[in-house]
Amino acid sequence: MKIVELQNVTKRFGDLAAVDDISLEARRGQIVSLLGPSGCGKTTTLRLIAGFETPDEGSVLIGGQDMGGKRPYERNVGLLFQDYALFPHMTVEDNVSYGMRHRGVERSSIPKRTAEMLNLVKLNGFEKRRPAQLSGGQQQRVALARALATKPEVMLLDEPLSALDAKLRQELRVELKEILMSVGTASIVVTHDQEEAMSMADHVIVQDRGRIMQQGTPYEIYARPSNRFVADFIGRSNSFSGRLGIEVESGFRKFETTEGLKLIVPDPTNLGVGPYRVWVRQERTLVMRHGQTPSVDAEPHTNVIHGVVVEAALLGADVHLVIDIGQDRKIGVTEKNVGQTIQAVGETVKLRFGAKDCIILQET
């Protein structure tokens, strides 16, 4: 069931179209992420749904009802802000019950609902504390409990974890997703953090300059970007411009980069006329010392590039390398830290990646 629907919505500020003719939907039980760089229109999109902004064109529907003319408090929407917006003079239980008291919920049922929400966010025993006595993560849970207490049709979350440190953000991301799924509302999460969007959402909407560039499952967005912006923005990749050559086998073509590298790539039969650019995800590239052979049989159409390590960094779970491949060109590689010996700066290596790991799109 569609809970939120935007139909050809445009919002302008002067000559700038902050949201430019976008259409999207969020269904009950679904977590949708609006992902994009600063200024792409994702927060304005959220504000249009919440009622803090009015569209210049198009319609915003919640529960099948057009929200035209309805103020924020007239929409059954729960809000979770980046700064939590808790009342510092109120206790935890008073903060959680605040929305219910101002939305006409029967007073006798408020204490029970408040207790249920605090149990949901694992804050039993914190009822009498004030926000200043809580950690950032605990304050975020209070704000979430307050937003959910009114049983909203849709939850809107604007950068909900950005104020937390990296480790706590990762831990609470899992909890937040579990809580949103358990209550079964439609949830829309605004974030510029790719990892947050890809791990939390069922459906990712990538925005840029007010427009939707692509939307789909996290896998579709990552593995099958539909345009250059999405391919560049999502994940870490190396890209090569160049010239498409002859067919080597059904479904594969030769490709010569501007640096003179000769690659084999998928045949872009459905893309129209070039020029083309090829992307290779950094983690799909295998780094090998010269003389080292693959531990498994190489798949057909394996690309090999020679280079020299110029940077090597161990960053927890990942190893990041920068490889000079000549012609004033350096590329990055990301490996999982599984106890391997890190290639030393100055070491000569071979980079291997399959033709099927190449993403080829039109240059423009």
Side-chain angles (χ1 to χ4, degrees):
M1 177 182 177
K2 296 179 185 178
I3 301 300
V4 178
E5 189 174 6
L6 270 62
Q7 299 175 343
N8 304 108
V9 169
T10 295
K11 176 63 182 179
R12 298 184 183 89
F13 296 101
D15 294 331
L16 174 67
V19 172
D20 190 0
D21 191 27
I22 70 170
S23 298
L24 60 87
E25 63 183 48
R27 297 176 176 272
R28 187 179 304 281
Q30 186 179 43
I31 301 177
V32 173
S33 175
L34 304 182
L35 173 65
S38 297
C40 71
K42 55 188 185 294
T43 295
T44 301
T45 302
L46 206 74
R47 291 175 61 83
L48 286 163
I49 298 170
F52 297 125
E53 302 288 354
T54 302
D56 296 313
E57 299 171 20
S59 302
V60 176
L61 289 77
I62 297 178
Q65 184 179 2
D66 194 325
M67 293 291 107
K70 289 191 176 294
R71 299 177 182 179
Y73 62 84
E74 297 175 303
R75 307 181 185 204
N76 191 12
V77 169
L79 300 169
L80 182 59
F81 299 102
Q82 181 177 343
D83 60 1
Y84 314 139
L86 299 176
F87 298 107
H89 64 287
M90 291 185 182
T91 64
V92 166
E93 62 183 357
D94 287 340
N95 266 284
V96 173
S97 63
Y98 180 85
M100 292 185 285
R101 295 199 305 271
H102 287 78
R103 288 203 183 184
V105 176
E106 187 178 344
R107 288 191 173 274
S108 61
S109 66
I110 290 178
K112 181 181 178 182
R113 180 66 177 169
T114 300
E116 289 173 350
M117 290 299 97
L118 290 176
N119 180 62
L120 179 66
V121 299
K122 302 176 183 178
L123 283 179
N124 307 86
F126 290 77
E127 291 85 354
K128 302 302 180 183
R129 296 193 189 185
R130 286 183 166 78
Q133 298 172 297
L134 304 175
S135 68
Q138 290 168 337
Q139 290 183 48
Q140 189 243 30
R141 294 183 195 187
V142 174
L144 178 61
R146 180 181 61 187
L148 292 172
T150 58
K151 299 182 180 180
E153 286 187 282
V154 58
M155 272 293 301
L156 304 177
L157 303 93
D158 190 5
E159 302 278 6
L161 304 176
S162 61
L164 306 174
D165 63 70
K167 184 176 181 181
L168 183 57
R169 189 162 63 241
Q170 190 171 21
E171 292 172 354
L172 287 183
R173 183 189 306 151
V174 176
E175 290 189 27
L176 181 57
K177 181 176 181 177
E178 290 176 349
I179 291 170
L180 293 176
M181 291 178 66
S182 70
V183 296
T185 64
S187 301
I188 301 178
V189 183
V190 160
T191 182
H192 65 274
D193 186 318
Q194 297 178 29
E195 187 176 330
E196 187 173 298
M198 304 292 274
S199 62
M200 284 187 62
D202 311 301
H203 190 80
V204 177
I205 299 174
V206 182
Q207 292 181 260
D208 184 48
R209 291 175 294 180
R211 289 184 171 272
I212 293 177
M213 305 305 293
Q214 186 176 352
Q215 55 181 310
T217 67
Y219 177 82
E220 289 168 345
I221 295 292
Y222 189 82
R224 295 193 290 273
S226 63
N227 55 68
R228 179 172 180 172
F229 175 82
V230 177
D232 279 330
F233 182 72
I234 300 295
R236 293 181 174 180
S237 303
N238 299 299
S239 68
F240 305 92
S241 59
R243 181 170 54 88
L244 198 64
I246 64 171
E247 183 178 81
V248 295
E249 185 180 305
S250 179
F252 294 96
R253 299 277 290 273
K254 289 185 176 181
F255 185 88
E256 184 172 354
T257 75
T258 54
E259 297 87 2
L261 299 173
K262 292 179 173 57
L263 306 177
I264 300 175
V265 301
D267 191 345
T269 53
N270 60 335
L271 294 180
V273 179
Y276 301 103
R277 178 173 288 266
V278 171
W279 282 261
V280 183
R281 300 297 188 193
Q282 291 190 11
E283 73 277 5
R284 301 300 298 171
T285 303
L286 176 65
V287 183
M288 305 179 66
R289 291 177 170 86
H290 276 301
Q292 183 181 359
T293 57
S295 58
V296 295
D297 293 336
E299 62 182 77
H301 309 315
T302 297
N303 295 298
V304 179
I305 300 176
H306 298 264
V308 177
V309 179
V310 293
E311 291 183 33
L314 175 60
L315 300 177
D318 295 327
V319 177
H320 290 205
L321 302 173
V322 177
I323 314 293
D324 187 336
I325 62 172
Q327 301 294 317
D328 295 321
R329 178 66 193 274
K330 297 180 177 67
I331 64 175
V333 178
T334 302
E335 296 185 301
K336 283 299 174 187
N337 176 19
V338 292
Q340 74 273 35
T341 302
I342 299 175
Q343 280 81 9
V345 171
E347 186 172 4
T348 301
V349 295
K350 291 188 295 184
L351 309 178
R352 302 173 64 94
F353 54 88
K356 66 178 182 58
D357 294 320
C358 298
I359 300 167
I360 183 167
L361 296 168
Q362 288 181 289
E363 179 75 60
T364 53

